[in-house]
Amino acid sequence: MRLATIDNGTPDGRLVVISTDGTSYAEAPVPTMQAALEQWATAEAALRAVTTFDQPLAQARLLAPLPRAWQWLDGSVYASHGALMDKVIGVEKPPVPFPLMYQGVSSKFYAPNEDVVMADEALGIDFEGEFGIITDMVPMGTSAADAAGHIKLVVQINDWSLRTLAAPEMKTGFGWIQAKPPCSMAPFAVTPDELGDAWVDCQPNMNLTVHWNGAQFGNAHGQAMGYGFDALVAHAARTRDLVAGTVIGSGTVSNENFREVGSSCIAERRGIEIVDEGAPKTEFMRFGDSVRMEAVTADGRKPFGAIDQKVVSR
Amino acid sequence: MRLATIDNGTPDGRLVVISTDGTSYAEAPVPTMQAALEQWATAEAALRAVTTFDQPLAQARLLAPLPRAWQWLDGSVYASHGALMDKVIGVEKPPVPFPLMYQGVSSKFYAPNEDVVMADEALGIDFEGEFGIITDMVPMGTSAADAAGHIKLVVQINDWSLRTLAAPEMKTGFGWIQAKPPCSMAPFAVTPDELGDAWVDCQPNMNLTVHWNGAQFGNAHGQAMGYGFDALVAHAARTRDLVAGTVIGSGTVSNENFREVGSSCIAERRGIEIVDEGAPKTEFMRFGDSVRMEAVTADGRKPFGAIDQKVVSR
């Protein structure tokens, strides 16, 4: 089952169910994605019972499937990315026996084709292609084994970053405020069963194809997470209940052979350039630049649709 | 004007206006605190026009004035606390030309008398007495001068912390997830004008009295912030719009003469013991322990009411 949210002028939009062929939709029997997640046990059956899709999707204005969330927790579990970023930022972090995770702004997720408003071109504007999941309510102390059952939907995310601000904030130990403006979400939120063999051990078994200004920039594979999403949910829930509609991200998708497959963010490519050539040569994004991100399965399916948007000045 | 939220069985509760003498209330012409903050320009006049308070407050079950928020950003701007905590945690942080701030869980704020559920007594359960503010919508790039006008309400907060988990998380640079379960709020949210001379340069000119299991533990003065709340709002809004209902905290209230006035958290007292005696002797909280926090002005007013609650096992 694939779900989306149509812009109806309200902050939470209107939840819709997408047809199997992805060309049409039906209004869902539950008004919003947040409402569905708060009553998933009953909402799921009602959503799955929708079989008549009478509205053409091409004419719809789509928001993020969850346009705002009570909680956004972003991991960083692709080891090849983390090691390189530490080197670039100049941070020496001791290895820790738990997944890296920060809490970010969740009061807005950009729609997949919405212009992204950035404060200043000089701040090192960067994209970060990620996978994410959305939970129902997860009680404090839930184990990783039980956490898998709370992963109700899988999503695709662009975690926008301002790199000039990231290192100074990180060095305080407090995480990021200014370096992390709101993220974007691809149009479709997908149940794990719908992904079939593209979802293995709570990890995405598919590529994330990234284009920057029309040129392919990265095509890393998702199934290289140091911790699966089940472990991320359990980590987040150790000392707090996770509110229904909690979004948890993987961090930038990255593979050890990033020189071959490319990267899901500019900072990683710059890191490779620093290691290989002594200095970065790829600049960060400018106003007017566009980025397109689309996960593609081995059999050519694109379950989440595409994020395709432009960076603009405020 | 003082506002509170009555428990009516819904997540956001029912907004009420408190009488001047603090003994009674009236239902507000706007249903919830969040709704009031989203339309403050019009809501404020309607709230201030309430003059008949027909319900006795003593019989009401009060929630946090804002029971859940889209965003909670906590500063750490009392220098005497920061310096000592770095020493205790063993973190060497370079001085930075901006206020320290992390984003924490905001999907729940504990009611002032609600039992606080903690995962494990061994995690170093600690209270942190703070002041906070709540904003209406603050556009990205708002200056500190303009930010003052977006501070609509002042609140009093207990930022619960799990100290055993805090240092390892801080050392990752990603901030805190497990070390920071939900906070508590005192019952009344107060407009800055109501505070009179207890609100100076966007700082609280009053003491925060803290009792642990009935014994006075701290009585630090609020007006020692390295950055006022106006600067904190501007810092948070540099690269993002702040959603209406954003809560921003001061961090643990602390004074340079903490040996005389006491502390607003156990970790600070332990830090003093480490410095003075070579080792900490005060233990963290146990299940069943209670903490009471109440701000008191020079003329004896208690504008926010008291947080008075107990730590319990899940």
Side-chain angles (χ1 to χ4, degrees):
Chain A
M1 178 168 62
R2 296 199 291 172
L3 302 173
T5 294
I6 301 274
D7 185 359
N8 67 350
T10 68
D12 295 307
R14 181 67 177 89
L15 184 64
V16 301
V17 186
I18 304 297
S19 66
T20 305
D21 67 0
T23 63
S24 54
Y25 70 88
E27 288 206 346
V30 184
T32 67
M33 178 67 92
Q34 180 63 35
L37 290 159
E38 287 173 2
Q39 51 187 297
W40 190 259
T42 53
E44 183 182 8
L47 292 167
R48 288 190 187 274
V50 174
T51 51
T52 306
F53 304 94
D54 51 356
Q55 303 289 326
L57 192 62
Q59 286 153 42
R61 279 180 49 188
L62 293 172
L63 298 176
L66 186 62
R68 56 180 179 174
W70 292 107
Q71 186 166 241
W72 155 239
L73 304 171
D74 196 13
S76 180
V77 300
Y78 290 93
S80 52
H81 176 75
L84 196 62
M85 290 307 293
D86 285 355
K87 197 174 293 186
V88 173
I89 290 177
V91 174
E92 286 194 36
K93 290 211 304 285
V96 290
F98 56 83
L100 299 174
M101 187 177 283
Y102 74 93
Q103 180 151 4
V105 54
S106 60
S107 55
K108 175 188 177 67
F109 283 88
Y110 279 104
N113 302 121
E114 188 176 358
D115 285 351
V116 175
V117 182
M118 291 294 186
D120 187 342
E121 215 177 24
L123 297 178
I125 301 168
D126 199 357
F127 47 81
E128 288 194 35
E130 308 196 356
F131 294 97
I133 59 90
I134 310 181
T135 70
D136 64 352
M137 200 286 271
V138 182
M140 184 194 297
T142 295
S143 68
D146 290 341
H150 290 285
I151 297 173
K152 299 309 183 189
L153 295 164
V154 185
V155 293
Q156 181 197 309
I157 290 170
N158 183 358
D159 172 38
W160 289 100
S161 292
L162 298 169
R163 298 297 183 183
T164 306
L165 303 169
E169 287 194 325
M170 188 175 189
K171 287 174 183 173
T172 67
F174 279 56
W176 300 280
I177 302 295
Q178 294 185 343
K180 293 286 186 182
C183 301
S184 309
M185 267 192 213
F188 307 132
V190 184
T191 53
D193 68 288
E194 172 88 11
L195 292 172
D197 59 9
W199 186 248
V200 178
D201 296 336
C202 295
Q203 298 201 18
N205 175 27
M206 60 190 113
N207 286 343
L208 183 63
T209 309
V210 178
H211 287 81
W212 177 15
N213 290 336
Q216 185 166 315
F217 189 82
N219 195 34
H221 194 268
Q223 206 184 343
M225 296 171 72
Y227 295 86
F229 279 109
D230 47 353
L232 293 180
V233 171
H235 178 80
R238 183 175 174 200
T239 60
R240 64 176 74 170
D241 295 333
L242 302 187
V243 64
T246 291
V247 187
I248 298 183
S250 64
T252 305
V253 179
S254 175
N255 299 159
E256 295 292 344
N257 61 339
F258 38 47
R259 287 180 183 79
E260 288 79 56
V261 301
S263 297
S264 303
C265 70
I266 300 172
E268 185 175 290
R269 177 176 285 188
R270 287 168 58 92
I272 296 167
E273 291 166 353
I274 290 170
V275 170
D276 292 355
E277 306 170 48
K281 62 183 187 190
T282 305
E283 300 296 327
F284 289 112
M285 295 182 87
R286 313 305 290 260
F287 291 143
D289 279 11
S290 66
V291 64
R292 182 182 174 90
M293 298 179 173
E294 198 169 30
V296 186
T297 64
D299 58 357
R301 286 178 295 140
K302 298 169 176 178
F304 310 107
I307 293 173
D308 195 343
Q309 59 192 169
K310 206 168 69 207
V311 173
V312 300
S313 174
R314 68 186 160 89
Chain B
M1 178 169 62
R2 295 199 292 172
L3 302 173
T5 294
I6 302 274
D7 186 358
N8 67 349
T10 67
D12 295 307
R14 181 67 176 90
L15 184 65
V16 301
V17 186
I18 304 297
S19 65
T20 304
D21 67 2
T23 63
S24 54
Y25 70 88
E27 289 205 346
V30 184
T32 68
M33 179 66 92
Q34 181 64 35
L37 290 159
E38 288 172 2
Q39 52 188 292
W40 190 259
T42 54
E44 183 182 9
L47 293 166
R48 288 189 187 274
V50 174
T51 51
T52 306
F53 304 93
D54 50 357
Q55 304 289 326
L57 192 62
Q59 287 154 41
R61 280 180 47 191
L62 293 172
L63 298 176
L66 186 62
R68 56 180 179 174
W70 291 107
Q71 186 166 241
W72 156 239
L73 304 172
D74 195 14
S76 180
V77 300
Y78 289 93
S80 52
H81 176 75
L84 197 62
M85 291 306 293
D86 284 355
K87 197 174 294 186
V88 174
I89 292 178
V91 174
E92 286 194 34
K93 290 210 305 284
V96 290
F98 54 85
L100 299 174
M101 187 177 283
Y102 74 93
Q103 180 152 2
V105 55
S106 59
S107 56
K108 175 189 176 68
F109 284 88
Y110 280 104
N113 301 123
E114 188 176 358
D115 285 351
V116 174
V117 183
M118 291 294 186
D120 186 342
E121 216 178 24
L123 297 179
I125 300 169
D126 199 358
F127 47 81
E128 288 193 35
E130 308 196 356
F131 294 97
I133 59 90
I134 311 181
T135 69
D136 64 351
M137 200 285 272
V138 183
M140 183 193 298
T142 295
S143 68
D146 290 341
H150 290 285
I151 297 173
K152 299 308 183 189
L153 294 164
V154 185
V155 292
Q156 183 197 309
I157 291 170
N158 182 358
D159 172 37
W160 289 99
S161 292
L162 298 168
R163 299 297 184 184
T164 306
L165 303 170
E169 287 195 324
M170 189 175 188
K171 287 174 183 173
T172 68
F174 279 56
W176 300 281
I177 302 294
Q178 294 184 342
K180 292 287 185 180
C183 300
S184 309
M185 266 191 215
F188 308 133
V190 184
T191 52
D193 68 288
E194 173 89 13
L195 291 172
D197 59 8
W199 186 248
V200 177
D201 296 336
C202 295
Q203 298 201 19
N205 175 27
M206 61 190 110
N207 285 343
L208 183 63
T209 309
V210 178
H211 287 80
W212 177 15
N213 290 336
Q216 184 165 315
F217 189 81
N219 195 34
H221 194 267
Q223 205 183 343
M225 296 172 70
Y227 294 86
F229 279 109
D230 48 351
L232 293 180
V233 171
H235 177 80
R238 182 175 174 200
T239 60
R240 65 177 73 170
D241 295 334
L242 303 186
V243 65
T246 291
V247 187
I248 298 184
S250 64
T252 305
V253 179
S254 176
N255 298 160
E256 295 292 343
N257 61 337
F258 39 47
R259 287 179 183 79
E260 287 78 57
V261 300
S263 298
S264 304
C265 70
I266 301 172
E268 184 175 290
R269 177 176 286 189
R270 287 167 57 91
I272 296 167
E273 292 165 352
I274 289 170
V275 170
D276 292 354
E277 307 169 50
K281 62 182 188 192
T282 305
E283 300 295 328
F284 289 111
M285 296 183 88
R286 313 304 291 258
F287 292 143
D289 279 12
S290 66
V291 65
R292 181 181 173 90
M293 297 179 175
E294 198 167 31
V296 185
T297 64
D299 57 357
R301 286 177 295 140
K302 299 170 175 179
F304 310 106
I307 293 174
D308 196 342
Q309 60 192 167
K310 206 168 69 205
V311 173
V312 300
S313 174
R314 67 185 162 89

